[in-house]
Amino acid sequence: MAENRASGHRASEYPEGTPCWVDAQLPDVEAGKRFYGDLFGWTFEDQPQGTVRASKDGAPVASLAHKTDGRLPTVWTVSFATPDAGALCRRIRAAGGQVVSPPVPFGDLGVTALVTDSEGAVFSLWQGTGTPGFGRRREPGTFAWVQLYTRDTQAANTFYGGLFHDALFGPDADPDFGRAPVSDVFPAEMPPHFLVHFAVEDPGAAMEEVVRLGGRVQVPPFETSYGTAAVVTDNQGASFALLHR
């Protein structure tokens, strides 16, 4: 059972359809460590799989990885928990999505897969064995929300509601995942995509720190149904949001 919103303590497991991890694919991981270490107070540890795990107050919160193909975007990707990545990939295909990278072991920590929804928005699946996902979330400097910006919110609700009904709409649902028209915040030609949000005490002050560290502001602070958000990019072009709830 995942932790409640107030505690932020480690979950023993995350129900299927819960955002449980985020990772950034960056051209320069060392530069990413400096940027996010200064911005969020993260510390870092190299992992055997070639990634770098970020921790906040000793608990895992994200990972950074070297982008091996310059043609790939510099992005933050969200992972949704599942007890069976293979079965979920089959359901994603049946619902009109695609499997970009089929399930593969990630060391002895779990199984990961990269997929898209029916409109092409990219996300990951995480079948944790040794590691369920976030050790902390919903606290300053940790994951707080992910918003899918899409062309058709009803289609997105149908797609994700079919995959993750209990996590999104069940009686005990407490989701950290919303859907909105892409034109609400971004130009209409922007492709459907997920925007990872990190919690901060003051989005305006955090936005200024992003700029000081070499990032830039895409959208200054605005009000949403889930808090005050600002959209920024890091010093390598990866977009994310700052959120105060």
Side-chain angles (χ1 to χ4, degrees):
M1 185 72 181
E3 83 276 4
N4 62 41
R5 188 173 298 278
S7 75
H9 293 150
R10 183 164 188 143
S12 58
E13 64 181 52
Y14 287 99
E16 185 164 57
T18 305
C20 68
W21 196 247
V22 289
D23 65 271
Q25 299 284 326
L26 303 173
D28 186 338
V29 171
E30 289 302 314
K33 288 163 67 173
R34 291 191 295 271
F35 180 92
Y36 291 102
D38 284 353
L39 182 62
F40 294 137
W42 290 354
T43 57
F44 301 94
E45 178 184 0
D46 291 340
Q47 298 291 287
Q49 294 77 23
T51 63
V52 174
R53 184 173 66 188
S55 294
K56 177 75 172 179
D57 299 327
V61 294
S63 57
L64 310 180
H66 176 63
K67 187 175 69 169
T68 55
D69 186 338
R71 295 170 296 180
L72 295 175
T74 300
V75 292
W76 277 99
T77 302
V78 63
S79 294
F80 291 91
T82 177
D84 188 333
L88 183 52
C89 281
R90 291 189 289 273
R91 290 163 51 208
I92 286 168
R93 283 197 189 99
Q98 298 183 22
V99 175
V100 179
S101 299
V104 293
F106 189 78
D108 58 359
L109 301 179
V111 173
T112 184
L114 189 68
V115 298
T116 78
D117 66 16
S118 53
E119 292 199 353
V122 176
F123 60 102
S124 289
L125 310 178
W126 179 247
Q127 177 186 329
T129 50
T131 303
F134 300 123
R136 290 184 179 275
R137 59 177 181 166
R138 301 167 170 172
E139 301 175 351
T142 73
F143 171 85
W145 186 265
V146 66
Q147 189 80 344
L148 171 64
Y149 286 99
T150 183
R151 304 208 189 287
D152 187 339
T153 54
Q154 186 54 54
N157 285 337
T158 299
F159 180 89
Y160 292 98
L163 295 177
F164 305 141
H165 181 271
D166 288 351
L168 289 175
F169 305 118
D172 298 322
D174 186 17
D176 295 321
F177 170 27
R179 281 77 57 205
V182 68
S183 56
D184 277 6
V185 174
F186 298 99
E189 62 270 18
M190 176 76 78
H193 66 284
F194 284 91
L195 183 66
V196 171
H197 293 51
F198 295 103
V200 295
E201 295 287 0
D202 182 339
M207 187 178 69
E208 292 177 3
E209 184 70 1
V210 165
V211 173
R212 186 188 71 79
L213 293 168
R216 63 185 180 87
V217 176
Q218 285 184 284
V219 186
F222 61 100
E223 295 303 316
T224 76
S225 60
Y226 51 89
T228 302
V231 184
V232 298
T233 66
D234 67 14
N235 56 345
Q236 300 181 69
S239 295
F240 62 99
L242 307 163
L243 179 67
H244 178 70
R245 304 188 76 178

